[in-house]
Structures are given as C-alpha cells and as structure tokens.
Amino acid sequence: MKLLDAGQRLPVHAHPHDDFAATHLGRAHGKAEAWYMLQGGTVHVGLREDVDAAALADLVDQQDVDALLGLLHEVEVAAGDVVWVPPGELHAIGAGILLLELQQPEDLSILLEWDGFAIDGAEAGHLGLGFELALAAVNTRGRSAVDLDALIGTAPDSGSVFPAAADEYFRLERIPVDGSTVVGRGFSIVIVSGGDIEIDGRRLRIGSSLLVPDAAGVLEATGAGELLVARPPAP
C-alpha cells in the first residue's frame, strides 16, 4: 500500500503477470495494482485499439512520447473513483493526482517511456531481459468502452471498492464513520481518508495509517469521517 502524490505525469509503463515474473525473473509475484483517488485529475489506461508488437517496440526505440501516450485512453477521474490496473496493462498517472495504491509486493516495471524523466530507461526499463522479451509481457489488445468501464468507476459509499477481478491480489473496503462502527478482524492497513476518528482510544486525523495484525481483533472506530481498509487477497 502506498500514497502517491504525482508532482508530474508519470511515464507510460506496465507490470508483468505472476507467470511471466516466475518464468523469466524467478519472482513469486508480478505486479497487479489498483488506485483509489483521493484527488482527481487525468489518467491514461489501456490501449484505444490493438497495437502490433513490432510497431510498439519501434515507438519505444524512437521514444516517440506523443505517439506512445496517444495510444492510451485518457480519462478524467475524481476523488472517490477507482482504477483497476491488471498485470500487463499500459498506464500513466497524470500530474496533480493524489491516490491510494494497492499493489502486489513487487516493483517490476517495464518502461516504454523515459525521455524527459530522470530515468535510464534504455538500461533499466526492460527488467534486464531486453525489450523484445520484456514487451511480450505487455497487453497489446485494445480496450473498448465496455472494457474501460470494468477498469474505471466510482467507489460505492461503503463496502468493497475494487472490481472482483482484483480480489485474488488485494482488497479495499470503504467504511463511513458516523458515531460508532467496527473494523472486522484480520490483518489490514487502515487509512483515515476523511474526518477525525478515534480507534481503540487513539485519535487519528486524515492521512493517518495503522498497520493492524490479526491478533488485534475487532477494532472500534468512533467519530465522523471515513476509513479505507486494505486487506490481503480473498481467502
């Protein structure tokens, strides 16, 4: 779990799936991720149409930034929206966005863009595999409007906020607090996303985070505001 405050637009990139990471990198996980928007802006997610692998590799080699970014859907998001980014999905976060990100426990990024960023993408952008192999982990299939609706939406006022497809990787629950409520037992990270809340006698203001072991049991929350509860994959 991380809070990401994008001071500039982040480069176009993707992350590998578990199978690719295990086969080619000897890692137990790839990197699925999902975002809960705390402050809105522009995100770029998913290809607008199918792209030939060779043509994509050529754009990366030329560092044709405008063309690379132009391949992706550009979507305006607001606070309370969620974005599910499956492994292999190309994406870029726009400047000025503040979000809560849940991800698998890896930092494996395939960089398609690095021109203008303080990154040696030509050296580090292919995970040590070379771009021909690394780009094989990238989804080159276009996303329709229906597909996009399955990736990007508005979180419900309470309950699970990410699409069901994310459950095998991580979960996020939104809990409004108005008076008194409880956070169910289980390992979690609890974030105060709004208001002024007291949990088991500890006063917590917006932005506070708690790492909660299973042994802590059920937590009682009182006050007025909102909690976001990040949990491991569904059992």
Side-chain angles (χ1 to χ4, degrees):
M1 187 280 285
K2 64 186 176 189
L3 291 166
L4 193 156
D5 186 3
Q8 64 178 129
R9 181 182 66 78
L10 303 187
V12 175
H13 64 290
H15 310 288
H17 186 271
D18 289 359
D19 293 343
F20 186 95
T23 301
H24 300 290
L25 299 166
R27 302 292 186 90
H29 303 95
K31 188 186 173 191
E33 66 182 68
W35 313 326
Y36 179 91
M37 296 297 161
L38 298 169
Q39 181 173 299
T42 302
V43 296
H44 307 264
V45 180
L47 291 167
R48 293 189 294 111
E49 56 187 31
D50 295 352
V51 176
D52 179 76
L56 185 62
D58 188 54
L59 292 178
V60 173
D61 184 60
Q62 295 180 38
Q63 281 300 282
D64 191 335
V65 172
D66 291 339
L68 282 169
L69 198 62
L71 294 175
L72 305 182
H73 290 278
E74 182 177 307
V75 183
E76 292 299 313
V77 291
D81 286 346
V82 296
V83 181
W84 158 233
V85 186
E89 204 70 35
L90 288 169
H91 58 282
I93 296 169
I97 280 183
L98 175 65
L99 58 82
L100 172 71
E101 178 179 321
L102 269 62
Q103 65 172 75
Q104 287 183 277
E106 280 290 359
D107 192 22
L108 303 172
S109 294
I110 301 163
L111 298 178
L112 278 69
E113 175 196 4
W114 56 85
D115 188 34
F117 294 91
I119 305 170
D120 187 353
E123 177 65 27
H126 49 70
L127 301 174
L129 301 173
F131 277 108
E132 182 177 2
L133 178 55
L135 289 174
V138 174
N139 176 29
T140 57
R141 181 177 64 85
R143 291 286 192 175
S144 68
V146 173
D147 291 334
L148 212 60
D149 285 343
L151 300 180
I152 303 173
T154 299
D157 292 338
S158 64
S160 178
V161 304
F162 291 152
D167 284 355
E168 66 177 291
Y169 302 105
F170 38 65
R171 293 168 292 158
L172 185 68
E173 182 181 6
R174 188 178 187 183
I175 301 179
V177 180
D178 184 10
S180 178
T181 190
V182 296
V183 177
R185 178 171 185 159
F187 173 77
S188 64
I189 300 174
V190 177
I191 305 99
V192 179
S193 54
D196 195 353
I197 296 173
E198 188 173 291
I199 295 180
D200 284 4
R202 177 178 297 179
R203 185 183 180 192
L204 302 168
R205 295 181 177 178
I206 186 170
S208 299
S209 300
L210 292 178
L211 178 63
V212 183
D214 178 75
V218 174
L219 303 181
E220 182 180 3
T222 59
E226 180 184 80
L227 300 175
L228 296 172
V229 182
R231 296 192 186 273

